[in-house]
Amino acid sequence: MIIIADGGSTKTNWCLVNEEGKKVYFNTEGYNPYFVSKEYVINSLRENLPTDLEIDKITEVNYYGAGCSTEEKRNQIKESMQVVFTSAKVNIGHDLLAAARALLGHTEGFAAILGTGMNTCTYDGKNIIQNIDSGAYILGDEGSGCHIGKKLLVDYLRGYMPEAVRKLFWETFKLTPDDVNEQVYTKPLANRFCASFSKFVYDNNVHIEYSRNLVRSSFVDFFKNVVTQYPDYQKYTFNCIGSVGYNFRNVLEEVVAENGMTVGKIIRSPIDDLVKYHLELAPSQL
């Protein structure tokens, strides 16, 4: 039995494929090695993997994860997984490579992630050939759930929200400005905390124009600071994976067109296409 997994900073989507080709899907939290330790990953997997999962029968784990961009960080996750999946060969790749392979297969092109965090690349059909650093959630991550959430929180702290939105925000979360600052600056996983408010933006129906403009400004920043910095970016279609890109795709498609690109695929999760890639296009390969 083999496992293919796509891990973001918030959630990991797993697919187990048994000897008969049957697929079983399940989820755990995300394991970005910049934010969680080896011990955290091990304990979380032991607590959250399905209780009926026959771990000893798993021969291979192909895990693509947020933050797994360097050998050091890949090894951190690999060593954690090897403790849990004791009989398996564990392969660790970057979630950006998962996005490119799921979106483009063996075709060259442009691929992006717009979820809790953001990342982008150009891809030659096999490997990533260029990547502009996302800057992560403190310095960058434009267009991501975290970036949208930060914009919302700044408006709340500074009193820029329309009154109806501010009232709804308070009724929903009961957070004072001091509460927000404590969560962001003194507690762990601030990126998840900020990104969680992108759902509030999506659900907000008391001031649609405010929410739309907030999301639009984040996508405009994403294109200005990242996408348009790729040489000849307009020759590619725009392909994107992630809940934020998918949920706000109507706004995203407008900004894509304004920047001279054509929309390709915008999907919520790469897991189905990633499983197909491993089983049909490049089995047992990261």
Side-chain angles (χ1 to χ4, degrees), residues 9 57 65 92 96 98 148 156-157 181 248 251:
S9 291
K57 294 184 178 180
I92 306 294
L96 187 56
I148 291 169
Y156 176 63
L157 293 176
N181 284 319
F248 296 111
V251 181

Side-chain angles (χ1 to χ4, degrees), residues 26-286:
F26 54 93
N27 299 317
T28 66
E29 65 179 308
Y31 307 114
N32 188 321
Y34 283 94
F35 306 134
V36 296
S37 66
K38 292 179 187 178
E39 292 74 19
Y40 185 99
V41 175
I42 292 167
N43 291 334
S44 175
L45 287 173
R46 285 174 171 167
E47 290 175 8
N48 294 294
L49 288 174
T51 55
D52 59 350
L53 187 66
E54 297 178 286
I55 291 178
D56 292 343
K57 294 184 178 180
I58 296 169
T59 58
E60 184 177 303
V61 175
N62 295 299
Y63 175 89
Y64 297 82
C68 296
S69 55
T70 68
E71 184 175 0
E72 177 189 358
K73 295 303 180 185
R74 286 192 291 272
N75 284 338
Q76 179 180 328
I77 296 298
K78 181 174 183 177
E79 290 167 9
S80 304
M81 299 253 173
Q82 202 73 72
V83 171
V84 177
F85 300 102
T86 54
S87 302
K89 176 184 178 183
V90 177
N91 302 309
I92 306 294
H94 195 203
D95 65 340
L96 187 56
L97 183 59
R101 288 178 169 176
L103 288 164
L104 298 164
H106 286 313
T107 305
E108 70 170 354
F110 174 89
I113 297 171
L114 289 173
T116 298
M118 173 275 290
N119 217 333
T120 56
C121 72
T122 51
Y123 173 73
D124 66 3
K126 184 178 180 181
N127 297 304
I128 292 169
I129 55 175
Q130 186 176 6
N131 165 239
I132 294 174
D133 199 301
S134 72
Y137 80 100
I138 292 177
L139 300 178
D141 266 356
E142 296 93 326
S144 70
C146 189
H147 193 250
I148 291 169
K150 285 196 298 181
K151 282 178 170 286
L152 182 81
L153 291 173
V154 167
D155 283 359
Y156 176 63
L157 293 176
R158 294 176 176 171
Y160 297 162
M161 278 181 178
E163 184 56 35
V165 180
R166 186 176 180 85
K167 180 180 179 183
L168 180 62
F169 183 92
W170 172 255
E171 291 173 348
T172 304
F173 301 110
K174 296 292 192 297
L175 288 170
T176 67
D178 286 344
D179 293 333
V180 171
N181 284 319
E182 183 177 0
Q183 286 282 349
V184 171
Y185 293 109
T186 68
K187 295 192 176 181
L189 302 174
N191 62 321
R192 290 188 196 174
F193 173 75
C194 293
S196 69
F197 294 99
S198 64
K199 184 179 187 303
F200 173 83
V201 176
Y202 180 74
D203 291 339
N204 171 36
N205 59 7
V206 301
H207 201 307
I208 301 300
E209 184 180 4
Y210 169 77
S211 295
R212 183 179 179 84
N213 288 340
L214 191 150
V215 171
R216 180 180 176 82
S217 69
S218 187
F219 288 155
V220 167
D221 290 345
F222 169 58
F223 267 82
K224 178 183 177 182
N225 298 336
V226 182
V227 180
T228 60
Q229 303 306 311
Y230 284 91
D232 302 320
Y233 71 95
Q234 292 174 327
K235 77 176 184 179
Y236 300 113
T237 59
F238 179 86
N239 303 282
C240 175
I241 274 174
S243 58
V244 172
Y246 183 83
N247 289 338
F248 296 111
R249 61 192 178 279
N250 291 340
V251 181
L252 179 58
E253 287 171 357
E254 289 179 4
V255 179
V256 169
E258 289 167 4
N259 285 275
M261 294 182 81
T262 301
V263 175
K265 293 172 68 176
I266 297 178
I267 60 178
R268 182 184 297 275
S269 168
I271 190 65
D272 288 325
D273 292 293
L274 198 56
V275 170
K276 179 180 179 181
Y277 179 90
H278 272 273
L279 296 182
E280 298 177 15
L281 299 179
S284 302
Q285 180 180 332
L286 269 180

